[in-house]
Amino acid sequence: YRVAVDWQGIDGSGDGDFNWNGLDETVEATAERGIKLMPTFYSSPSWLTYDRRVMPVWSGYAIRSWEAMLKAAVARFGNGGTFWREHPELPETPITLWQIWNEPNIRNFAWPVSPGKYAKLVKVSAAAIRSVDPGGKIVLGGLYGTPPPGTGIDAGPFLKRLYRVDGFRKSFNIAAVHPYAADARRSLKRILPVRRVLNRHGNFGRSMFITELGWGSDSATSFGTGSQAAQANRVKSVFRTLLRHRARLRLRSVIWFSWADLPVGSYSCAFCHKTGFFDDEGNPKPSWWALLDFTHGD
């Protein structure tokens, strides 16, 4: 389960008095169910910058504040963390996967879009996390496959430029991509460039995650398929495609975005209010049963 963690939400004033209540609830719920959790840390707080998209690498104070937050998270939820000592009734399921930022190659989440700034963020994040848990795994922020013209840098070229920064190669463990596209074939075409860049830099065995992918059952948005049946067919098509290419991609995980449809009148993003496997009343859609065909669930 991938959970977005907004820095502002856990440290609203910059005094280092972190509020973990929301994340505590998610960690507890996933641990009870035996679900592995991966948090995605992103978004600079208002007490640090006027724009949440600005990555905290422009000053020593910003970097130290970011590092302190990450270290506190690992110390609480990672291997041997205080959360697990406080909750002996839970099966200990420490967080070992830490995703740094979200879609750093598109201006929706990064301003400016800068491979150099993001490489620096990954490097300082990796050092902070590994200083508390040497076994922690650093997951790159999901690179948006092909941003709309003028909004960012394609995933492959962006990753290529990250590798130009000294020390970046050793700073991460898993690459991640968000290959949104019109259909499964085009989605695959947006994943392959990332794999090629990894291979060209000698990281043949380094794993890849798809940390967002989805199509809706609506007919009003850019990734809407027009009906629940069409959405289910898209699930079948994309999972068949990804399973067929899993070995060459070194693909270890696919996270659908998102689990359930949004209630009427709520907002998350421009296309995702009907991308769930369940409708807004909690009823399974045909896409859920299509997914279970691949997971062999009951």
Side-chain angles (χ1 to χ4, degrees):
Y1 183 73
R2 175 178 181 251
V3 59
V5 181
D6 186 330
W7 187 2
Q8 177 85 36
I10 58 176
D11 188 8
S13 62
D15 59 5
D17 185 16
F18 301 111
N19 178 2
W20 298 115
N21 292 340
L23 192 52
D24 279 355
E25 292 178 3
T26 302
V27 172
E28 180 178 356
T30 50
E32 287 175 339
R33 293 161 175 78
I35 297 172
K36 195 172 183 67
L37 183 67
M38 182 184 71
T40 302
F41 290 90
Y42 77 110
S43 188
S44 290
S46 58
W47 51 263
L48 191 62
T49 175
Y50 66 95
D51 191 332
R52 64 180 178 81
R53 301 172 297 167
V54 177
M55 295 180 189
V57 294
W58 70 86
S59 71
Y61 175 70
I63 291 171
R64 289 190 298 272
S65 298
W66 173 260
E67 290 174 328
M69 181 268 296
L70 288 180
K71 289 178 181 179
V74 180
R76 181 161 183 79
F77 302 110
N79 282 302
T82 56
F83 177 87
W84 306 109
R85 296 198 294 273
E86 293 170 3
H87 295 277
E89 77 282 2
L90 293 174
E92 190 165 337
T93 316
I95 294 175
T96 58
L97 297 169
W98 306 90
Q99 188 170 39
I100 306 304
W101 218 257
N102 181 61
E103 297 183 355
N105 63 320
I106 188 170
R107 68 185 184 193
N108 296 42
F109 291 96
W111 184 256
V113 174
S114 167
K117 293 183 185 300
Y118 182 62
K120 185 175 183 178
L121 183 70
V122 173
K123 289 169 61 178
V124 301
S125 301
I129 290 167
R130 291 167 179 168
S131 72
V132 181
D133 179 7
K137 305 297 183 185
I138 313 304
V139 183
L140 295 184
L143 301 179
Y144 196 95
T146 304
T151 66
I153 303 170
D154 285 4
F158 188 85
L159 182 60
K160 183 178 179 180
R161 290 169 63 178
L162 292 177
Y163 270 105
R164 296 175 185 169
V165 178
D166 288 343
F168 170 77
R169 188 177 187 276
K170 295 182 179 180
S171 67
F172 76 101
N173 302 95
I174 299 166
V177 62
H178 295 173
Y180 290 110
D183 53 41
R185 180 183 62 83
R186 296 177 192 179
S187 184
L188 177 64
K189 289 180 66 175
R190 295 184 177 185
I191 304 169
L192 289 171
V194 175
R195 182 72 261 168
R196 293 190 191 106
V197 173
L198 291 168
N199 292 348
R200 286 170 186 164
H201 288 84
N203 292 143
F204 298 97
R206 195 157 296 188
S207 299
M208 290 181 61
F209 284 0
I210 294 174
T211 52
E212 280 188 30
L213 180 66
W215 287 271
S217 56
D218 64 287
S219 56
T221 63
S222 55
F223 297 119
T225 59
S227 69
Q228 291 190 1
Q231 183 194 34
N233 287 335
R234 189 61 51 80
V235 169
K236 295 175 186 177
S237 174
V238 75
F239 275 91
R240 286 194 191 108
T241 299
L242 294 175
L243 284 169
R244 189 161 57 245
H245 295 276
R246 175 174 52 180
R248 69 184 288 211
L249 294 173
R250 303 289 192 273
L251 184 61
R252 283 182 50 202
S253 180
V254 179
I255 298 175
W256 188 268
F257 190 81
S258 57
W259 179 251
D261 290 351
L262 294 175
V264 175
S266 60
Y267 179 81
S268 174
C269 70
F271 68 89
C272 54
H273 63 291
K274 293 293 182 182
T275 58
F277 291 124
F278 296 83
D279 64 23
D280 57 7
E281 295 181 349
N283 302 306
K285 296 158 66 176
S287 56
W288 172 244
W289 306 116
L291 178 70
L292 292 189
D293 286 342
F294 292 94
T295 62
H296 306 289
D298 296 324

